[in-house]
Amino acid sequence: MDNKKSPTGQGQGVYSGSEQYKGTEFSYYKAPVKNTIPYKNVSLADCHKVIKSDKYKPVTETLRSLTDKAEKAAYKAQNFDYITASGTFTKRANTALIQHSNLFCADLDHVGDTEAIGRLKQCVQSIIEPALMFVSPSGDGLKIIFAVDTSQASHADYFTAFENFFLRLLQNEKELQKGLDKKGIDEKCKDVSRATFLCYDPDCYLSEAPTVCGVDFVKKYTKQIQQEQTAPPIPTEGEIIERATMWANENYPFADGSRNQHITQLCGMLNRSGLPEASALQHCLTYVCDGFTDTEIAATVKSIYNNTELHGKNPLKVAEPTPPMPVDGFPTFIQELIAECSFVYGTHADLWAMAFFAATASAIGQSVILKTKYENPPLFWLAVVGASGVGKTEPLSMAFKQIQEIDYIAFQQHQRAVQEYIAASKQPRAKGQPKPEPPPPASQFIQTDITPEALAQSMGANPRGISIIRDELIGWISDFGRYGKSAEESNALSMWSQATYKVTRKNGENEFITNPCANIFGGIQPSRLPELAKNGRAVNGFLPRFCFVFPDKIEAPMYNKNRLSEDFTNRYRQYIKHLLAIP
């Protein structure tokens, strides 16, 4: 493909593209979407022709007549052919890319009616001339394919730039905010193998000379958003009230005998934070109760706000949003799996990233050691912070399922060996015949509730390494000292550093593990974080050993009918099997 810049366009980041973009080929797939093997390669011109024709008119009209979301999704997946506009593939997977097409498809959902879609088209074309545009199968969205130059920036770079481009467009074009999703383009557009369904649109637009977006375009729309994010966020009135109320509740509880003190301290905080007096009064009047009248509260608020010199002197600072857990270091397949699981289960992607990270570390164990001036296996203490019900357990359960199955098989084999040993012990022996040897402990990768002796025994039976997994890490902390003065906490500190792990048995014998490897994985509720730091654990090195995964705005998932495909499940099993096969 010839992507020559025009002489006047060099260095501008966008330049007039050749008509040859219309002939650029990418993969085309027959329905249903579960079919991941390409049928043939097609071009933009081919797509333009078939979209304007009546080929997809019946299925498009049927889809738009449906009202149930689940039924519409199922119908679309079953009946629409699709393309991977960003390249040719051996199969639809990021890892199966043959060649990038230098095209990027922006998928915009819920734009609105025909008028809104037309407005969005005009706005986009006034800035960047797209290669192809057509209305999505649902009828209220828009598919826009742009020409890009992947010799200057990666597909992921263009995703970030176009995401920011549409976010800026939303902010500038107030009319578009009425319908278009606030997030802008669909986040799955970052996948080079993103599927784009073909449908009927008699007004499908094909450009004769699309704008070609290059590195300067990426820099402009990446740098712009970064600069905006560096500005300190301004808290809303609701955030000020929430933070001030939490502080007052913790330090001056609202109770008989201290109600006026609570309102005084709360109102003082609201005044210093810069909340308007009217808003403070409105909130404080919610405390009216028997013996505590609105007149008293209003007088207190008025008295506090008379201190005008203190108003806004100590504004609340809103914490910067926590960035998502980086996953670029994972194999491409695991990155895809994280995104797919987050979509299917409706839970935060960070929970899945942490779970697959933990399972990867457990499966590798001490079979691989990073050697610099130190020697480190993949040994981690990871804690997922989130309220009950947000979906912390499911990711760990799925990520460790295969390892759990291996543990169960080893347990069954050990049970049979124990039974054989018991039976052999009961058999009469000839004089001088030695007693049968008891079977060695079962090799287990995963432990939950375990005594110090059993922990040492487990690490001795599996020198590759073990993982202690607890739904609630506070339960693990609470177990310290449950079995007597066993110095479990100090042993745990040493275990993380891979110092010799020593346990004295009741019979006086000692258990020594000279190279322990024990990962700790689990969840904890935000309100219980202070317990993790109690008894000196914040300063003795215990707390800093943990890596905390604490996503912003993590919410309980809603039920949906999505299912994880067997292809993902089978490939993940092969992934774990491969890691466990490392000698």
Side-chain angles (χ1 to χ4, degrees):
M1 180 180 64
D2 182 13
N3 296 334
K4 295 180 180 178
K5 298 180 181 180
S6 64
T8 58
Q10 292 189 9
Q12 301 303 310
V14 293
Y15 46 93
S16 179
S18 165
E19 287 190 31
Q20 291 184 13
Y21 260 93
K22 291 192 293 184
T24 299
E25 291 195 333
F26 39 86
S27 295
Y28 162 84
Y29 307 74
K30 289 282 193 179
V33 75
K34 288 185 178 180
N35 168 37
T36 60
I37 305 302
Y39 177 71
K40 63 179 180 179
N41 292 340
V42 296
S43 67
L44 287 174
D46 295 330
C47 290
H48 177 253
K49 182 178 180 180
V50 74
I51 291 171
K52 288 178 72 74
S53 74
D54 289 343
K55 178 176 181 178
Y56 298 114
K57 186 175 182 179
V59 292
T60 301
E61 291 178 344
T62 299
L63 176 70
R64 293 176 184 176
S65 69
L66 301 176
T67 56
D68 182 78
K69 288 185 178 180
E71 186 180 1
K72 291 182 74 168
Y75 184 84
K76 182 170 67 173
Q78 190 66 29
N79 292 281
F80 285 82
D81 299 339
Y82 67 95
I83 58 172
T84 46
S86 290
T88 53
F89 295 79
T90 55
K91 65 176 181 178
R92 186 168 65 87
N94 289 351
T95 54
L97 177 67
I98 299 173
Q99 183 176 354
H100 202 288
S101 63
N102 281 324
L103 296 171
F104 180 92
C105 183
D107 191 353
L108 296 113
D109 299 321
H110 311 306
V111 176
D113 56 17
T114 303
E115 183 179 348
I117 290 174
R119 173 64 179 161
L120 178 58
K121 286 181 178 180
Q122 291 176 357
C123 289
V124 171
Q125 283 186 283
S126 68
I127 306 171
I128 300 174
E129 174 70 2
L132 186 75
M133 284 194 296
F134 62 98
V135 177
S136 63
S138 64
D140 69 346
L142 194 61
K143 311 285 186 183
I144 309 179
I145 298 179
F146 295 96
V148 298
D149 188 347
T150 52
S151 69
Q152 297 187 24
S154 69
H155 184 93
D157 292 332
Y158 284 113
F159 168 77
T160 301
F162 278 112
E163 183 180 42
N164 293 334
F165 169 80
F166 280 103
L167 287 172
R168 170 60 58 237
L169 192 64
L170 273 176
Q171 293 176 5
N172 292 339
E173 300 293 333
K174 301 301 182 182
E175 292 182 25
L176 294 176
Q177 294 183 14
K178 297 175 183 178
L180 187 60
D181 278 353
K182 296 294 178 64
K183 63 184 179 182
I185 65 174
D186 192 314
E187 64 178 359
K188 288 192 176 182
C189 294
K190 65 184 175 185
D191 292 333
V192 70
S193 61
R194 168 68 167 168
T196 300
F197 289 105
L198 299 177
C199 63
Y200 172 66
D201 179 7
D203 298 320
C204 178
Y205 174 80
L206 177 66
S207 175
E208 292 297 324
T211 300
V212 182
C213 300
V215 66
D216 288 344
F217 170 79
V218 171
K219 287 181 178 179
K220 176 181 178 180
Y221 285 100
T222 302
K223 183 178 180 181
Q224 182 184 48
I225 206 75
Q226 288 174 342
Q227 289 175 336
E228 291 169 358
Q229 289 175 346
T230 58
I234 301 173
T236 64
E237 288 192 5
E239 288 172 328
I240 292 174
I241 291 172
E242 182 181 3
R243 292 272 295 277
T245 303
M246 185 181 299
W247 172 82
N249 287 339
E250 290 177 354
N251 295 280
Y252 305 94
F254 186 80
D256 288 342
S258 61
R259 292 180 296 195
N260 194 63
Q261 183 186 36
H262 175 90
I263 291 297
T264 300
Q265 296 295 336
L266 169 61
C267 201
M269 173 68 82
L270 295 175
N271 185 32
R272 292 191 298 274
S273 299
L275 189 75
E277 181 177 350
S279 299
L281 177 60
Q282 183 179 2
H283 174 65
C284 290
L285 286 176
T286 62
Y287 288 85
V288 171
C289 58
D290 290 341
F292 197 45
T293 66
D294 55 353
T295 303
E296 292 178 82
I297 293 174
T300 301
V301 173
K302 186 67 176 176
S303 174
I304 294 296
Y305 270 80
N306 280 337
N307 295 313
T308 55
E309 71 279 3
L310 296 179
H311 185 72
K313 291 296 184 181
N314 187 26
L316 285 176
K317 296 180 180 179
V318 178
E320 294 288 340
T322 303
M325 183 174 173
V327 298
D328 293 349
F330 280 115
T332 303
F333 161 66
I334 297 298
Q335 296 182 42
E336 295 173 355
L337 182 60
I338 291 168
E340 188 68 14
C341 287
S342 177
F343 169 73
V344 169
Y345 290 91
T347 44
H348 200 288
D350 284 4
L351 306 187
W352 294 97
M354 176 272 191
F356 293 126
F357 183 86
T360 298
S362 296
I364 293 174
Q366 297 197 90
S367 63
V368 175
I369 295 178
L370 177 64
K371 291 186 178 182
T372 54
K373 65 178 180 180
Y374 304 106
E375 294 187 1
N376 295 303
L379 193 163
F380 299 96
W381 289 9
L382 301 176
V384 177
V385 185
S388 178
V390 298
K392 301 192 298 291
T393 302
E394 183 65 35
L396 278 174
S397 297
M398 177 184 162
F400 280 89
K401 183 178 180 181
Q402 186 176 354
I403 300 176
Q404 291 274 26
E405 291 171 354
I406 293 171
D407 275 1
Y408 183 64
I409 292 171
F411 170 76
Q412 288 180 312
Q413 293 172 342
H414 181 259
Q415 288 293 91
R416 287 194 291 269
V418 169
Q419 294 301 322
E420 292 170 3
Y421 163 72
I422 293 173
S425 299
K426 293 178 180 179
Q427 296 295 322
R429 297 189 305 276
K431 187 176 181 180
Q433 182 180 359
K435 294 181 179 180
E437 290 289 333
S443 177
Q444 301 282 293
F445 284 95
I446 301 170
Q447 301 291 345
T448 51
D449 189 8
I450 191 167
T451 66
E453 290 183 19
L455 178 59
Q457 191 179 64
S458 183
M459 286 191 291
N462 188 2
R464 188 185 190 93
I466 68 167
S467 295
I468 299 173
I469 302 178
R470 299 293 291 264
D471 280 346
E472 292 293 341
L473 284 172
I474 288 299
W476 176 59
I477 302 295
S478 300
D479 284 348
F480 289 166
R482 186 175 65 170
Y483 304 101
K485 296 181 179 180
S486 52
E488 289 176 75
E489 187 172 312
S490 60
N491 266 344
L493 292 170
S494 299
M495 184 171 64
W496 186 88
S497 303
Q498 291 201 288
T500 299
Y501 186 88
K502 176 183 176 182
V503 174
T504 302
R505 297 183 179 277
K506 292 180 181 179
N507 60 10
E509 296 180 1
N510 292 334
E511 183 87 30
F512 286 92
I513 306 298
T514 57
N515 202 32
C517 181
N519 293 291
I520 312 293
F521 307 128
I524 185 170
Q525 298 179 32
S527 61
R528 305 199 71 178
L529 278 171
E531 296 179 48
L532 205 58
K534 285 182 178 179
N535 300 323
R537 287 189 287 268
V539 295
N540 68 0
F542 187 89
L543 200 60
R545 280 164 165 76
F546 275 97
C547 174
F548 291 95
V549 180
F550 195 170
D552 288 332
K553 298 182 180 178
I554 181 170
E555 299 176 351
M558 300 293 288
Y559 176 76
N560 64 68
K561 296 182 179 181
N562 300 324
R563 294 290 183 271
L564 190 68
S565 72
E566 290 187 9
D567 178 59
F568 275 112
T569 303
N570 293 335
R571 289 173 67 189
Y572 180 67
R573 291 181 69 86
Q574 288 299 316
Y575 170 79
I576 293 296
K577 182 179 179 181
H578 171 74
L579 296 181
L580 291 171
I582 301 173

